[in-house]
Every structure is written in C-alpha cells, then in structure tokens.
C-alpha cells in the first residue's frame, strides 16, 4: 500500500465543469468561512464508510481534509458578530479555534480576558482606586451599568467568574459544556457591545439620502 493507492484525484487537464466523479461536489461545512459547499479535489475510499477526502471550499477557496468523519482543521463553533474592532476580532477568532479544537481551559481564559477588554473599551478605568487592574466583579458591574450585561445574563456571569478563576489559579478540568456556556455568553456580550451599533449604522446608511 502506498500513498497513491486507490487515490482518485481531480486531474489538471480536466476542467472543473466536466469533473463529474460522483460526490465531487459536496455539502460540507467549511471550517474557515462557514460556507457549506466544497469541491472534493481528491479522495480515497477505504470501504466501510472510511476514507479520506480533500476539499476546496467554493466560497473562500481554502482547503480542508476529512479523515473518516473528522474534518481538519476543525470547524469553528458559534459565529462572529458584526462590527468587532480588529483586536477583539482576533481574540474572538482564537476563542472559536480553541473551542473547536478541544482547548477548553484556553477558551475560558481568553473569554475572561475579552470581558475585561470590552469593559475597559466601554469606559471602565484601566486602573481602579487601588491603582490595580479592575477586578472581575468591577468589570461585570460596569458592563451591567452600561447595559451590556442584562439581568438575564447574570447567572452566566457567575458561571464565567468561577470557571475563569479555576483556569487562572489551579488546574481543574473544564468540559466542553462549560467552555461552550462561557463562549456563548461572550458571543452575546460582543453582540450587545458591537454588533447592534454596527447594524444600526448600516441601517442608517441605507436610509440616508
Ligand atoms: Zn470556506
């Protein structure tokens, strides 16, 4: 068995339009852009449903590979709210990458950091009256005063507080469910902090002269 055994590939001389190998066009989620249509550039069937398929996304043109049922790179869960400043966007993308690849403690720590960052970006002084960085409590209180943490989000805040502390001070297991809760809360925070304003601005642009 060699690396070329049973390999079926899209040949250079064939135009894409005439590429009619069964299953060449696949409905598969793109881990890069969230699109759901891809060209299968090559595949190996191992029988019994196993095998390897190399995909190119028709939307963003990036590649992904599916070994049996596992897609690499892994799909990023949740979504990116509109209107994020570049730094927030970078960290939020890392959060989604961590969550999608099973790095749950890293997910929670980055979410906590993002929460502090959003609070400071929304006028929380970077130093408190003891000349220290604001505490988690101060950051959350500030976000609540600004209307960015709503009463319904409060139970989640308590969760992110405890989980985030664990991640910072000691090693304790963080499950997919916990990390997903914390990340979902953070997504909601980003929506309230940035996306609503961005959508309003967009709408005002459409309604303008
Ligand atoms: Zn894509």
């Amino acid at each position: 068995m060699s690396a070329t055994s049973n390999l079926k590939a899209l040949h250079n001389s064939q135009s894409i339009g005439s590429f009619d190998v069964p299953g060449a066009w696949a409905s598969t989620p793109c881990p890069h852009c969230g699109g759901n249509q891809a060209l299968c550039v090559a595949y190996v069937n191992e029988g019994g449903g196993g095998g390897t398929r190399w995909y190119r996304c028709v939307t963003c043109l990036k590649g992904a590979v599916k070994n049996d049922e596992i897609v690499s790179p892994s799909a990023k869960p949740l979504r990116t709210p509109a209107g994020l400043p570049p730094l927030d966007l970078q960290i939020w993308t890392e959060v989604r990458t961590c969550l999608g690849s099973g790095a749950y403690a890293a997910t929670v720590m980055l979410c906590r950091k993002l929460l502090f960052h959003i609070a400071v970006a929304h006028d929380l002084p970077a130093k408190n009256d003891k000349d220290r960085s604001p505490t988690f409590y101060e950051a959350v209180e500030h976000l609540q005063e600004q209307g960015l943490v709503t009463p319904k989000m409060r139970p989640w805040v308590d969760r992110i507080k405890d989980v985030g502390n664990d991640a910072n001070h000691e090693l304790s297991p963080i499950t997919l469910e916990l990390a997903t809760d914390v990340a979902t809360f953070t997504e909601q925070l980003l929506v309230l902090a940035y996306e609503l304003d961005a959508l309003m601005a967009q709408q005002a642009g459409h309604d303008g002269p």
Side-chain angles (χ1 to χ4, degrees), residues 53-67:
R53 307 180 78 82
W54 288 265
Y55 290 112
R56 190 180 201 200
C57 172
V58 300
T59 307
C60 71
L61 306 183
K62 288 182 178 165
V65 60
K66 189 181 208 175
N67 287 295

Side-chain angles (χ1 to χ4, degrees), residues 8-22:
K8 307 277 191 303
L10 177 62
H11 195 273
N12 267 345
S13 63
Q14 281 177 297
S15 80
I16 298 295
S18 67
F19 189 62
D20 57 359
V21 173

Side-chain angles (χ1 to χ4, degrees), residues 52-162:
T52 304
R53 307 180 78 82
W54 288 265
Y55 290 112
R56 190 180 201 200
C57 172
V58 300
T59 307
C60 71
L61 306 183
K62 288 182 178 165
V65 60
K66 189 181 208 175
N67 287 295
D68 300 327
E69 288 310 310
I70 298 173
V71 177
S72 304
S74 52
K76 294 188 183 75
L78 304 176
R79 70 178 181 92
T80 295
L84 298 194
L87 197 54
D88 299 62
L89 176 61
Q90 185 190 337
I91 300 300
W92 178 241
T93 303
E94 284 190 31
V95 168
R96 296 177 67 212
T97 302
C98 288
L99 187 56
S101 43
Y104 303 135
T107 302
V108 168
M109 288 169 75
L110 280 177
C111 282
R112 205 174 141 89
K113 196 144 178 91
L114 207 43
L115 180 142
F116 277 108
H117 177 76
I118 294 168
V120 171
H122 288 79
D123 303 327
L124 176 70
K127 298 276 183 192
N128 64 18
D129 49 15
K130 294 182 184 120
D131 202 31
R132 297 221 174 109
S133 296
T135 63
F136 185 85
Y137 178 80
E138 287 167 338
V140 168
E141 287 301 303
H142 180 79
L143 289 170
Q144 196 157 357
E145 279 164 24
Q146 299 282 314
L148 298 178
V149 166
T150 64
K152 283 195 173 177
M153 291 161 74
R154 195 68 209 205
W156 283 7
V157 169
D158 295 333
R159 202 159 189 189
I160 201 176
K161 176 180 69 139
D162 298 338

